[in-house]
Each structure stands twice: as C-alpha cells, then as structure tokens.
Amino acid sequence: MSSDNENKPYIVINKKTIFTAALVMLVFAASFFAWNGNRSRKYDQTAFVMGTVFNVSLATNGEDPTPELINIGNELDKKVLSWRSESSEIAAINSSAGSVEGYELSEDMEALIVQCLKMSAQTDGAFDITVGALTKLWDIDGWASGENEADGAEFVPPSKEEIDEALNVCGYEKVKVEDHRIYLPYGMSLDLGAVGKGIYLDKCKDTFDNNVSGIVSAGGSILTCGKKPDGGKWNIGINDPFGTKDIYGSIEVDGEICVSTSGPYERFVTYEGVKYHHILDPHTGYPADTDLSSVTIVSQSGLISDALSTACFVLGEKGAYEIAEEYGAEIYTISNDGSEGGTITLRH
Ligand code: AMP
Ligand code: MG
C-alpha cells in the first residue's frame, strides 16, 4: 500500500519543524511522483527564503521548474517585500514616510497595497500592514522562537509608553494612495510579513501550465496544483498548536488552492514566564489576546489566504467566520480549549 492510500498528510504547516516537514514531504512525494507512464518527472528543492524554509516539490513533463520558483522567492523578497533589504520597494516606500511628494508605486505594489488597505477596512483593522513601527519595537524578526532571546540578548517587552508612541504612527486609515503615489505619515512603516508568502504563491501560480502538479510550501503557506497521479486529493497536515503531537489532523484539498495557517505557536518569546507571540492586535499594540490557537484559511488566492489567516486569528472565532464567509474562503479553527470549528472538517 502506498503512502497515498494511507492518507498521510503531505506536509505539516509549522515553521518550527518545517525542516522535518520538508523531509517527510520528500519521502511521501517520492512515491506519488514515481514514474507514472506520462514521462512526468518529479523535482524537489528546499531553500531558505524570506527568513523561512521553502520547499518546491513538483512533477512536470517540462523542464525542472524548481530553480526558477526559488529564484522568484528570493527576488520578490530582495526587490519588493523585505523592509530589511535596502533595494526593496517597501524599504523605499518606508523611507518616503513624512515626505510631501510621497512615493510613486509600481503597478504591482499599488494593486497589492490597495488590496491590503481594503482588507484592513473590512477586518476593522485586525489586519493592518501599517504595524511596521510595532513589529520593529517588539523586534519580532529578531526573535529566536520559543526562547527568551531576541537578537542574542535577553528579550524584554517594550513599555506601555513605547507601545503608545508606536501606535501613533500605525493605522491603515492614515495612508493615502492617489495618482499611483503613496503618502505615509512621518514615522510610519509598512510590514508585509503577514502576506509575503501568499504573494509568493500567487507568483508561482502564474508560471504553471497544465502539466505541473505538486506542492509549493512557503513557511506557513502552501500551494497545491494539478492532480495527484492517482487522481486523489492533496492532504495538508495541520500542526498541533498545543505542541502535544506533531500533527493535529489533515485537510483535503483539490487542484490549485492556497492553504495558510496562523497561530501564536509559530513564533514567540517568553519573559518572566509570559509568552509573547508575533501576531499583534493593531488596536492595542500587544500580541493579540484571542480565543483562537490556530486559524487555517483555504482560498484560491495566496494573498487572501495569508492575509485572512492573520486577520482571523486577531478577530477571534466569531469575527473570523464572518470575514471568511465574506471572502468565500474556507476556514478551520482550533480554539484555546481545543475545540474545532469552521467550514472544513479535519481528518484525525
Ligand atoms: P502570519 O504569520 O502570516 O500570521 O503573519 C504574522 C506577521 O505579520 C508578523 O510576523 C508581523 O510581521 C506581521 N503582523 C503581525 N500582526 C499583524 C497584523 N495584525 N496585521 C498585519 N500584519 C501583522
Ligand atoms: Mg498571514
């Protein structure tokens, strides 16, 4: 019996154990993509991109697509998304904050920012890409997840005064986009961390033809495409947010679909016994205090699945279901008490 018949998940959405997940995927995928009489060959590549592990595991009749797809991720990070990269568009936008002339946006960036601002309004600010001053203050990028360390030094949470100061330069409603230019108030900084992986998956989709099938995994966001050789559905493992087991269960998806999971267990630090996680409530400036421990969104759009998983986590159960329905997205949630909900049933 093949791994497929056993319905084992292809991959676990878990940044912490993503290396293990990639390895597991490699082993399972090997059996699915074995010679299928269609001259389709399987290609697999794992790389460290956008500060996390990407794995591309695809079968195709054509050329090996994996180098191009990894390259797309690196270029997207360097030239567009990363506020740390001096050559990126987001860094240029951020350094224009407070200027009268603003910054002239590329067509892609304008579409992306307009969509994000729309989603901020629709989620009542639960999702907000203007939280850059807060994410920098908390030093989220510098956290060595799960440990009480930030950039090698002991983590100390910011003071209420510092948070209030940062909150003053956050808020999607303070951004103006006009005549293809963006105007940010002085001190404001955009952070596309909540949507970067989803944007990448959308870019991957643009390169696929009908002959490609398999899985692209970018941190906590996954794209499936094409059919499995046996015609069955793809299985995506959902990580246990409580850390008691490796996989909480798995969901089945069909064809070209994006699956994104957000949860506090993905990135956190502890200080004096208190855990601080990486998904902030833009209204308070503190890590979101919610009734959810994990949110998974399934959507045809990578951007929407990634943005919504973050937003829904902040909104909590009730608001999450409403907004997922508005976007026609499927949702699966695990509450803090371990109860499950949403429109998707998990296979245990
Ligand atoms: P994700 O892991 O996709 O849920 O995104 C979390 C990342 O997005 C964080 O590491 C921050 O960089 C950024 N972020 C945190 N809170 C928010 C928020 N409420 N809205 C938008 N971006 C956020
Ligand atoms: Mg997200």
mmCIF file of all heavy atoms in Angstrom, residues 2 13 31 88 126 134 147 220 223 229 234 258 266 275 279 283-284 293 303 344:
data_model
loop_
_atom_site.group_PDB
_atom_site.id
_atom_site.type_symbol
_atom_site.label_atom_id
_atom_site.label_comp_id
_atom_site.label_asym_id
_atom_site.label_seq_id
_atom_site.Cartn_x
_atom_site.Cartn_y
_atom_site.Cartn_z
ATOM 1 N N SER A 2 0.575 2.213 -0.877
ATOM 2 C CA SER A 2 1.385 3.428 -0.941
ATOM 3 C C SER A 2 1.004 4.372 0.198
ATOM 4 O O SER A 2 -0.027 4.203 0.844
ATOM 5 C CB SER A 2 1.151 4.143 -2.266
ATOM 6 O OG SER A 2 -0.096 4.798 -2.219
ATOM 7 N N ILE A 13 2.024 22.280 8.393
ATOM 8 C CA ILE A 13 2.229 23.723 8.373
ATOM 9 C C ILE A 13 2.798 24.112 9.718
ATOM 10 O O ILE A 13 2.092 24.226 10.696
ATOM 11 C CB ILE A 13 0.920 24.466 8.106
ATOM 12 C CG1 ILE A 13 0.320 23.974 6.797
ATOM 13 C CG2 ILE A 13 1.151 25.955 8.059
ATOM 14 C CD1 ILE A 13 -1.000 24.589 6.470
ATOM 15 N N SER A 31 6.884 8.675 -3.632
ATOM 16 C CA SER A 31 6.041 7.589 -4.105
ATOM 17 C C SER A 31 4.955 8.092 -5.043
ATOM 18 O O SER A 31 4.593 7.440 -6.005
ATOM 19 C CB SER A 31 5.419 6.831 -2.930
ATOM 20 O OG SER A 31 4.567 7.700 -2.229
ATOM 21 N N SER A 88 14.709 47.145 -1.754
ATOM 22 C CA SER A 88 13.314 46.741 -1.977
ATOM 23 C C SER A 88 12.389 47.951 -2.104
ATOM 24 O O SER A 88 12.667 49.031 -1.570
ATOM 25 C CB SER A 88 12.818 45.853 -0.833
ATOM 26 O OG SER A 88 12.504 46.648 0.294
ATOM 27 N N ALA A 126 -8.094 44.634 12.076
ATOM 28 C CA ALA A 126 -7.446 43.460 12.697
ATOM 29 C C ALA A 126 -6.211 43.067 11.888
ATOM 30 O O ALA A 126 -5.189 42.657 12.433
ATOM 31 C CB ALA A 126 -8.416 42.290 12.767
ATOM 32 N N LEU A 134 5.389 48.913 15.202
ATOM 33 C CA LEU A 134 5.157 47.988 16.329
ATOM 34 C C LEU A 134 5.970 46.707 16.187
ATOM 35 O O LEU A 134 6.564 46.233 17.160
ATOM 36 C CB LEU A 134 3.667 47.621 16.403
ATOM 37 C CG LEU A 134 2.750 48.675 17.027
ATOM 38 C CD1 LEU A 134 1.289 48.345 16.744
ATOM 39 C CD2 LEU A 134 2.988 48.777 18.541
ATOM 40 N N GLU A 147 12.340 30.893 22.603
ATOM 41 C CA GLU A 147 13.328 31.145 23.645
ATOM 42 C C GLU A 147 13.178 32.581 24.129
ATOM 43 O O GLU A 147 12.576 33.404 23.470
ATOM 44 C CB GLU A 147 14.739 30.920 23.085
ATOM 45 C CG GLU A 147 14.957 29.471 22.695
ATOM 46 C CD GLU A 147 16.108 29.325 21.727
ATOM 47 O OE1 GLU A 147 17.006 30.166 21.759
ATOM 48 O OE2 GLU A 147 16.076 28.379 20.941
ATOM 49 N N GLY A 220 4.391 29.026 6.542
ATOM 50 C CA GLY A 220 3.050 28.545 6.924
ATOM 51 C C GLY A 220 2.025 28.586 5.813
ATOM 52 O O GLY A 220 0.840 28.389 6.058
ATOM 53 N N LEU A 223 0.757 25.933 -1.439
ATOM 54 C CA LEU A 223 0.008 25.936 -2.698
ATOM 55 C C LEU A 223 0.032 24.530 -3.271
ATOM 56 O O LEU A 223 1.094 23.916 -3.376
ATOM 57 C CB LEU A 223 0.679 26.911 -3.676
ATOM 58 C CG LEU A 223 0.327 26.806 -5.157
ATOM 59 C CD1 LEU A 223 -1.124 27.229 -5.413
ATOM 60 C CD2 LEU A 223 1.262 27.684 -5.999
ATOM 61 N N PRO A 229 -1.014 11.794 -9.114
ATOM 62 C CA PRO A 229 -1.014 10.760 -10.156
ATOM 63 C C PRO A 229 -2.195 9.789 -10.036
ATOM 64 O O PRO A 229 -2.708 9.303 -11.028
ATOM 65 C CB PRO A 229 0.312 10.033 -9.927
ATOM 66 C CG PRO A 229 1.185 11.071 -9.305
ATOM 67 C CD PRO A 229 0.290 11.921 -8.465
ATOM 68 N N TRP A 234 -5.181 16.261 -2.429
ATOM 69 C CA TRP A 234 -3.953 16.509 -1.657
ATOM 70 C C TRP A 234 -4.302 16.570 -0.180
ATOM 71 O O TRP A 234 -5.326 17.126 0.198
ATOM 72 C CB TRP A 234 -3.323 17.853 -2.063
ATOM 73 C CG TRP A 234 -3.003 17.985 -3.513
ATOM 74 C CD1 TRP A 234 -3.709 18.682 -4.442
ATOM 75 C CD2 TRP A 234 -1.890 17.416 -4.204
ATOM 76 N NE1 TRP A 234 -3.109 18.589 -5.674
ATOM 77 C CE2 TRP A 234 -1.985 17.813 -5.557
ATOM 78 C CE3 TRP A 234 -0.820 16.614 -3.825
ATOM 79 C CZ2 TRP A 234 -1.073 17.440 -6.524
ATOM 80 C CZ3 TRP A 234 0.106 16.233 -4.799
ATOM 81 C CH2 TRP A 234 -0.022 16.646 -6.122
ATOM 82 N N CYS A 258 -4.680 27.558 -2.241
ATOM 83 C CA CYS A 258 -3.715 28.021 -1.237
ATOM 84 C C CYS A 258 -4.262 27.773 0.166
ATOM 85 O O CYS A 258 -5.434 28.030 0.429
ATOM 86 C CB CYS A 258 -3.448 29.514 -1.410
ATOM 87 S SG CYS A 258 -2.664 29.894 -2.981
ATOM 88 N N GLU A 266 3.690 29.697 16.302
ATOM 89 C CA GLU A 266 4.660 29.734 15.206
ATOM 90 C C GLU A 266 5.897 30.550 15.538
ATOM 91 O O GLU A 266 6.988 30.267 15.053
ATOM 92 C CB GLU A 266 4.003 30.313 13.954
ATOM 93 C CG GLU A 266 2.969 29.391 13.352
ATOM 94 C CD GLU A 266 2.442 29.916 12.034
ATOM 95 O OE1 GLU A 266 1.990 31.077 12.025
ATOM 96 O OE2 GLU A 266 2.484 29.185 11.047
ATOM 97 N N LYS A 275 4.299 34.335 27.717
ATOM 98 C CA LYS A 275 4.607 34.165 26.291
ATOM 99 C C LYS A 275 4.127 35.378 25.499
ATOM 100 O O LYS A 275 3.007 35.851 25.699
ATOM 101 C CB LYS A 275 3.866 32.927 25.752
ATOM 102 C CG LYS A 275 4.636 31.653 25.875
ATOM 103 C CD LYS A 275 3.922 30.548 25.116
ATOM 104 C CE LYS A 275 4.639 29.229 25.331
ATOM 105 N NZ LYS A 275 3.988 28.127 24.627
ATOM 106 N N ILE A 279 1.710 37.812 16.411
ATOM 107 C CA ILE A 279 0.560 38.406 15.710
ATOM 108 C C ILE A 279 -0.045 39.473 16.621
ATOM 109 O O ILE A 279 -0.598 39.168 17.682
ATOM 110 C CB ILE A 279 -0.476 37.339 15.310
ATOM 111 C CG1 ILE A 279 0.223 36.241 14.490
ATOM 112 C CG2 ILE A 279 -1.603 37.983 14.508
ATOM 113 C CD1 ILE A 279 -0.653 35.061 14.138
ATOM 114 N N HIS A 283 -4.973 47.408 17.437
ATOM 115 C CA HIS A 283 -5.696 48.365 18.279
ATOM 116 C C HIS A 283 -5.018 48.571 19.631
ATOM 117 O O HIS A 283 -5.115 49.644 20.222
ATOM 118 C CB HIS A 283 -7.142 47.903 18.509
ATOM 119 C CG HIS A 283 -7.932 47.853 17.241
ATOM 120 N ND1 HIS A 283 -8.236 48.975 16.504
ATOM 121 C CD2 HIS A 283 -8.462 46.807 16.563
ATOM 122 C CE1 HIS A 283 -8.916 48.638 15.427
ATOM 123 N NE2 HIS A 283 -9.063 47.318 15.436
ATOM 124 N N THR A 284 -4.313 47.554 20.106
ATOM 125 C CA THR A 284 -3.682 47.661 21.426
ATOM 126 C C THR A 284 -2.162 47.770 21.347
ATOM 127 O O THR A 284 -1.516 48.264 22.271
ATOM 128 C CB THR A 284 -3.999 46.413 22.287
ATOM 129 O OG1 THR A 284 -3.380 45.267 21.673
ATOM 130 C CG2 THR A 284 -5.500 46.184 22.418
ATOM 131 N N SER A 293 -6.391 29.420 18.817
ATOM 132 C CA SER A 293 -4.994 28.983 18.877
ATOM 133 C C SER A 293 -4.423 28.697 17.496
ATOM 134 O O SER A 293 -3.206 28.574 17.335
ATOM 135 C CB SER A 293 -4.865 27.713 19.725
ATOM 136 O OG SER A 293 -5.066 28.031 21.076
ATOM 137 N N LEU A 303 -2.642 35.578 -1.533
ATOM 138 C CA LEU A 303 -2.689 36.824 -0.758
ATOM 139 C C LEU A 303 -3.854 36.799 0.229
ATOM 140 O O LEU A 303 -3.696 37.098 1.414
ATOM 141 C CB LEU A 303 -2.823 38.022 -1.720
ATOM 142 C CG LEU A 303 -3.145 39.375 -1.086
ATOM 143 C CD1 LEU A 303 -2.050 39.828 -0.145
ATOM 144 C CD2 LEU A 303 -3.385 40.434 -2.141
ATOM 145 N N ILE A 344 -14.491 23.565 7.382
ATOM 146 C CA ILE A 344 -13.721 22.393 6.963
ATOM 147 C C ILE A 344 -13.680 21.396 8.107
ATOM 148 O O ILE A 344 -13.485 21.797 9.262
ATOM 149 C CB ILE A 344 -12.264 22.781 6.612
ATOM 150 C CG1 ILE A 344 -12.240 23.853 5.527
ATOM 151 C CG2 ILE A 344 -11.447 21.575 6.177
ATOM 152 C CD1 ILE A 344 -10.862 24.475 5.319
#
